[in-house]
């Protein structure tokens, strides 16, 4: 289940791309399949090990285009272990809401991004997340949990302050918002019959991608999309300005 829309955030073969806070690798795997030179970074050694295993499995299965490559590394968002201007593109999906110093993390992302490079950031959207927090303290009061709820304008302004130009945004995963509201209402660790039934619906949607759920989510995303996705570009002093900024 991808949050970044790679039609809006196209990746060319051979580009060097960072997936910062890769988790178990969903975006890193998609980037590799597109022929990128991928670096997947996470603070969790267990997740780094799991992603490394799946990179190898993809290679053995012939899912990696010729010339593409990938590694997984452990590191912190507050001090990325890369030189300035290393990456053509960066994905940071559902990471910043976990970090106490999100401004430092954003500045690090911009530092390692090449001039003219593209950045895709996703965070939980304000309204669906606000409902989850209101329904359940356990949803967010856990170690490593969400520590803030972003408003769209706040995210855009913080990215702009970090040194990139936000150019486009959208919302994703509308069908997932009611699922999390239901879980928060009954208890995040409780899986009663309604929760299990809704989970099966989401699994069916992810695996089969039927037209009815895909069309429904597209229509509902502007209102109920659980994630906010912002695309931005790092200015390149050698090229004339002209990127339209997001509101």
């Amino acid at each position: 289940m991808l949050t970044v829309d790679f039609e809006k955030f196209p990746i060319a073969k051979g580009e060097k791309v960072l997936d910062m806070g890769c988790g178990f690798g969903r975006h890193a795997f998609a980037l590799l399949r597109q022929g990128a030179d991928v670096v997947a970074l996470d603070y969790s050694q267990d997740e780094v090990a799991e992603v490394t295993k799946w990179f190898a499995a993809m290679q053995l299965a012939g899912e990696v285009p010729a010339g593409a490559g990938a590694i997984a590394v452990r590191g912190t968002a507050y001090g990325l272990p890369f030189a300035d201007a290393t990456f053509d593109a960066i994905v940071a999906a559902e990471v910043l809401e976990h970090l106490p110093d999100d401004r430092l993390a954003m500045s690090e992302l911009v530092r390692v991004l090449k001039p003219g490079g593209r950045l895709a950031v996703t965070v939980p959207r304000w309204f669906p997340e606000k409902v989850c927090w209101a329904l359940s303290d356990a949803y967010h009061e856990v170690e490593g949990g969400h520590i803030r709820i972003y408003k769209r304008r706040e995210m855009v302004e913080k990215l702009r302050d970090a040194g990139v130009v936000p150019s486009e945004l959208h919302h994703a995963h509308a069908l997932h918002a009611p699922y999390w509201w239901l879980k928060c209402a009954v208890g995040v660790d409780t899986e009663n019959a309604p929760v299990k039934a809704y989970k099966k619906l989401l699994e069916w949607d992810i695996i089969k991608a039927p037209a009815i759920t895909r069309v429904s989510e597209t229509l509902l995303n502007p209102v109920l999309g659980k994630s906010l996705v912002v695309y931005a570009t790092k200015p390149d002093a050698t090229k004339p300005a002209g990127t339209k900024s997001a509101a």
Side-chain angles (χ1 to χ4, degrees):
M1 183 187 72
L2 299 176
T3 308
V4 173
D5 184 342
F6 286 109
E7 291 186 3
K8 300 179 183 294
F9 191 73
I11 300 297
K13 289 184 177 180
E15 285 193 309
K16 193 171 184 66
V17 185
L18 171 66
D19 182 3
M20 196 281 282
C22 63
F24 287 107
R26 58 195 176 109
H27 285 96
F29 303 148
L31 291 164
L32 182 57
R33 290 189 180 99
Q34 293 180 67
D37 182 8
V38 181
V39 178
L41 179 141
D42 204 277
Y43 187 73
S44 167
Q45 186 58 53
D46 289 343
E47 293 179 355
V48 168
E50 187 71 10
V51 171
T52 298
K53 182 180 74 175
W54 280 103
F55 280 155
M58 290 173 65
Q59 189 72 52
L60 289 173
E63 297 181 20
V64 179
I71 60 169
V73 299
R74 185 172 185 267
T76 171
Y78 299 144
L80 295 174
F82 313 109
D84 295 357
T86 294
F87 296 98
D88 299 291
I90 297 175
V91 170
E94 310 298 301
V95 178
L96 295 174
E97 69 275 11
H98 297 274
L99 302 178
D101 194 343
D102 59 338
R103 287 187 181 273
L104 176 57
M106 290 183 202
S107 70
E108 276 293 280
L109 291 173
V110 175
R111 178 183 67 79
V112 301
L113 187 63
K114 293 179 180 179
R118 295 102 58 214
L119 173 65
V121 171
T122 88
V123 295
R125 187 183 185 180
W126 183 84
F127 173 68
E129 188 77 348
K130 196 76 172 178
V131 173
C132 287
W133 283 44
L135 289 171
S136 171
D137 291 336
Y139 171 79
H140 64 95
E141 290 182 355
V142 295
E143 184 178 357
H146 299 181
I147 63 171
R148 72 175 60 81
I149 305 176
Y150 287 101
K151 290 186 177 180
R152 181 181 69 179
R153 183 173 296 278
E154 176 191 3
M155 173 54 64
V156 169
E157 289 178 352
K158 282 186 173 182
L159 287 171
R160 190 177 289 127
D161 290 345
V164 291
V165 180
S167 57
E168 188 173 2
L169 56 82
H170 64 86
H171 302 103
H173 307 320
L175 295 181
H176 288 250
Y179 171 74
W180 282 102
W181 295 343
L182 182 59
K183 280 185 68 70
C184 288
V186 303
V188 291
D189 296 322
T190 300
E191 286 215 351
N192 61 8
V195 171
K196 290 179 180 178
Y198 203 121
K199 185 177 182 180
K200 286 184 178 180
L201 169 67
L202 294 179
E203 291 171 346
W204 175 62
D205 173 53
I206 291 170
I207 295 170
K208 299 295 186 180
I212 186 171
T213 55
R214 292 297 82 223
V215 171
S216 297
E217 184 154 85
T218 298
L219 293 174
L220 290 170
N221 273 337
V223 179
L224 291 180
K226 193 174 188 305
S227 292
L228 167 66
V229 188
V230 182
Y231 305 101
T233 303
K234 184 175 179 177
D236 185 346
T238 67
K239 296 180 179 180
T243 302
K244 184 179 179 181
S245 179

